[in-house]
mmCIF file of all heavy atoms in Angstrom:
data_model
loop_
_atom_site.group_PDB
_atom_site.id
_atom_site.type_symbol
_atom_site.label_atom_id
_atom_site.label_comp_id
_atom_site.label_asym_id
_atom_site.label_seq_id
_atom_site.Cartn_x
_atom_site.Cartn_y
_atom_site.Cartn_z
ATOM 1 N N PRO A 12 -3.232 26.815 32.774
ATOM 2 C CA PRO A 12 -2.585 26.077 33.884
ATOM 3 C C PRO A 12 -1.720 24.946 33.361
ATOM 4 O O PRO A 12 -2.041 24.331 32.353
ATOM 5 C CB PRO A 12 -3.786 25.556 34.686
ATOM 6 C CG PRO A 12 -4.875 25.468 33.724
ATOM 7 C CD PRO A 12 -4.673 26.591 32.732
ATOM 8 N N TYR A 13 -0.654 24.651 34.075
ATOM 9 C CA TYR A 13 0.221 23.546 33.714
ATOM 10 C C TYR A 13 -0.385 22.230 34.223
ATOM 11 O O TYR A 13 -0.871 22.167 35.351
ATOM 12 C CB TYR A 13 1.596 23.738 34.342
ATOM 13 C CG TYR A 13 2.530 22.557 34.143
ATOM 14 C CD1 TYR A 13 3.105 22.351 32.878
ATOM 15 C CD2 TYR A 13 2.789 21.680 35.120
ATOM 16 C CE1 TYR A 13 3.926 21.275 32.654
ATOM 17 C CE2 TYR A 13 3.619 20.574 34.915
ATOM 18 C CZ TYR A 13 4.178 20.394 33.689
ATOM 19 O OH TYR A 13 4.985 19.313 33.473
ATOM 20 N N ARG A 14 -0.414 21.216 33.390
ATOM 21 C CA ARG A 14 -0.947 19.891 33.757
ATOM 22 C C ARG A 14 0.232 18.929 33.817
ATOM 23 O O ARG A 14 0.993 18.819 32.853
ATOM 24 C CB ARG A 14 -1.976 19.418 32.779
ATOM 25 C CG ARG A 14 -3.166 20.362 32.781
ATOM 26 C CD ARG A 14 -4.150 19.931 31.714
ATOM 27 N NE ARG A 14 -5.085 20.995 31.478
ATOM 28 C CZ ARG A 14 -6.419 20.818 31.628
ATOM 29 N NH1 ARG A 14 -6.909 19.671 31.950
ATOM 30 N NH2 ARG A 14 -7.216 21.830 31.401
ATOM 31 N N GLU A 15 0.288 18.161 34.880
ATOM 32 C CA GLU A 15 1.359 17.160 35.078
ATOM 33 C C GLU A 15 1.250 16.024 34.036
ATOM 34 O O GLU A 15 2.262 15.515 33.580
ATOM 35 C CB GLU A 15 1.338 16.595 36.481
ATOM 36 C CG GLU A 15 1.886 17.569 37.509
ATOM 37 C CD GLU A 15 3.373 17.779 37.462
ATOM 38 O OE1 GLU A 15 4.104 16.822 37.008
ATOM 39 O OE2 GLU A 15 3.809 18.892 37.776
ATOM 40 N N THR A 16 0.036 15.602 33.769
ATOM 41 C CA THR A 16 -0.200 14.499 32.814
ATOM 42 C C THR A 16 -1.027 15.005 31.656
ATOM 43 O O THR A 16 -1.905 15.890 31.811
ATOM 44 C CB THR A 16 -0.897 13.297 33.509
ATOM 45 O OG1 THR A 16 -2.156 13.771 34.011
ATOM 46 C CG2 THR A 16 -0.077 12.752 34.633
ATOM 47 N N VAL A 17 -0.828 14.415 30.495
ATOM 48 C CA VAL A 17 -1.583 14.749 29.283
ATOM 49 C C VAL A 17 -2.890 13.930 29.345
ATOM 50 O O VAL A 17 -2.875 12.723 29.567
ATOM 51 C CB VAL A 17 -0.784 14.373 28.053
ATOM 52 C CG1 VAL A 17 -1.589 14.688 26.767
ATOM 53 C CG2 VAL A 17 0.524 15.175 28.005
ATOM 54 N N GLU A 18 -3.991 14.590 29.097
ATOM 55 C CA GLU A 18 -5.292 13.922 29.113
ATOM 56 C C GLU A 18 -5.412 12.978 27.948
ATOM 57 O O GLU A 18 -4.905 13.291 26.875
ATOM 58 C CB GLU A 18 -6.384 14.953 29.081
ATOM 59 C CG GLU A 18 -6.452 15.811 30.345
ATOM 60 C CD GLU A 18 -7.586 16.799 30.301
ATOM 61 O OE1 GLU A 18 -8.545 16.618 29.539
ATOM 62 O OE2 GLU A 18 -7.482 17.808 31.035
ATOM 63 N N PRO A 19 -6.081 11.843 28.104
ATOM 64 C CA PRO A 19 -6.276 10.902 26.997
ATOM 65 C C PRO A 19 -7.037 11.580 25.877
ATOM 66 O O PRO A 19 -7.846 12.475 26.116
ATOM 67 C CB PRO A 19 -7.068 9.762 27.607
ATOM 68 C CG PRO A 19 -7.147 10.000 29.084
ATOM 69 C CD PRO A 19 -6.698 11.416 29.353
ATOM 70 N N PHE A 20 -6.787 11.089 24.655
ATOM 71 C CA PHE A 20 -7.417 11.653 23.483
ATOM 72 C C PHE A 20 -8.206 10.576 22.749
ATOM 73 O O PHE A 20 -7.703 9.481 22.577
ATOM 74 C CB PHE A 20 -6.366 12.249 22.545
ATOM 75 C CG PHE A 20 -6.981 12.959 21.369
ATOM 76 C CD1 PHE A 20 -7.424 14.287 21.514
ATOM 77 C CD2 PHE A 20 -7.101 12.328 20.158
ATOM 78 C CE1 PHE A 20 -7.987 14.920 20.438
ATOM 79 C CE2 PHE A 20 -7.685 12.997 19.080
ATOM 80 C CZ PHE A 20 -8.119 14.310 19.228
ATOM 81 N N GLU A 21 -9.438 10.874 22.405
ATOM 82 C CA GLU A 21 -10.269 9.924 21.679
ATOM 83 C C GLU A 21 -10.375 10.369 20.221
ATOM 84 O O GLU A 21 -10.775 11.490 19.946
ATOM 85 C CB GLU A 21 -11.667 9.907 22.291
ATOM 86 C CG GLU A 21 -11.722 9.352 23.709
ATOM 87 C CD GLU A 21 -11.434 7.864 23.742
ATOM 88 O OE1 GLU A 21 -11.792 7.141 22.800
ATOM 89 O OE2 GLU A 21 -10.782 7.416 24.728
ATOM 90 N N TYR A 22 -9.999 9.473 19.333
ATOM 91 C CA TYR A 22 -10.138 9.723 17.904
ATOM 92 C C TYR A 22 -11.590 9.390 17.477
ATOM 93 O O TYR A 22 -12.315 8.731 18.168
ATOM 94 C CB TYR A 22 -9.132 8.896 17.100
ATOM 95 C CG TYR A 22 -7.753 9.382 17.227
ATOM 96 C CD1 TYR A 22 -6.795 8.683 17.989
ATOM 97 C CD2 TYR A 22 -7.329 10.528 16.558
ATOM 98 C CE1 TYR A 22 -5.485 9.135 18.125
ATOM 99 C CE2 TYR A 22 -6.004 10.980 16.694
ATOM 100 C CZ TYR A 22 -5.117 10.309 17.448
ATOM 101 O OH TYR A 22 -3.823 10.741 17.547
ATOM 102 N N ALA A 23 -11.946 9.868 16.304
ATOM 103 C CA ALA A 23 -13.309 9.677 15.767
ATOM 104 C C ALA A 23 -13.569 8.244 15.371
ATOM 105 O O ALA A 23 -12.648 7.485 15.075
ATOM 106 C CB ALA A 23 -13.546 10.596 14.574
ATOM 107 N N LYS A 24 -14.837 7.851 15.418
ATOM 108 C CA LYS A 24 -15.223 6.512 14.931
ATOM 109 C C LYS A 24 -14.847 6.418 13.444
ATOM 110 O O LYS A 24 -14.987 7.426 12.718
ATOM 111 C CB LYS A 24 -16.719 6.317 15.069
ATOM 112 C CG LYS A 24 -17.122 5.755 16.390
ATOM 113 C CD LYS A 24 -18.607 5.389 16.336
ATOM 114 C CE LYS A 24 -18.925 4.643 17.607
ATOM 115 N NZ LYS A 24 -20.321 4.215 17.596
ATOM 116 N N GLY A 25 -14.409 5.281 12.996
ATOM 117 C CA GLY A 25 -14.037 5.108 11.591
ATOM 118 C C GLY A 25 -12.553 5.371 11.337
ATOM 119 O O GLY A 25 -12.064 5.058 10.278
ATOM 120 N N ASP A 26 -11.856 6.000 12.300
ATOM 121 C CA ASP A 26 -10.451 6.230 12.153
ATOM 122 C C ASP A 26 -9.743 4.901 12.342
ATOM 123 O O ASP A 26 -10.112 4.076 13.200
ATOM 124 C CB ASP A 26 -9.900 7.194 13.180
ATOM 125 C CG ASP A 26 -10.298 8.659 12.899
ATOM 126 O OD1 ASP A 26 -10.790 8.932 11.779
ATOM 127 O OD2 ASP A 26 -10.077 9.481 13.787
#
Side-chain angles (χ1 to χ4, degrees):
Y13 175 75
R14 298 175 194 238
E15 286 289 330
T16 59
V17 178
E18 294 181 21
F20 185 81
E21 294 290 326
Y22 287 106
K24 272 189 171 181
D26 286 349

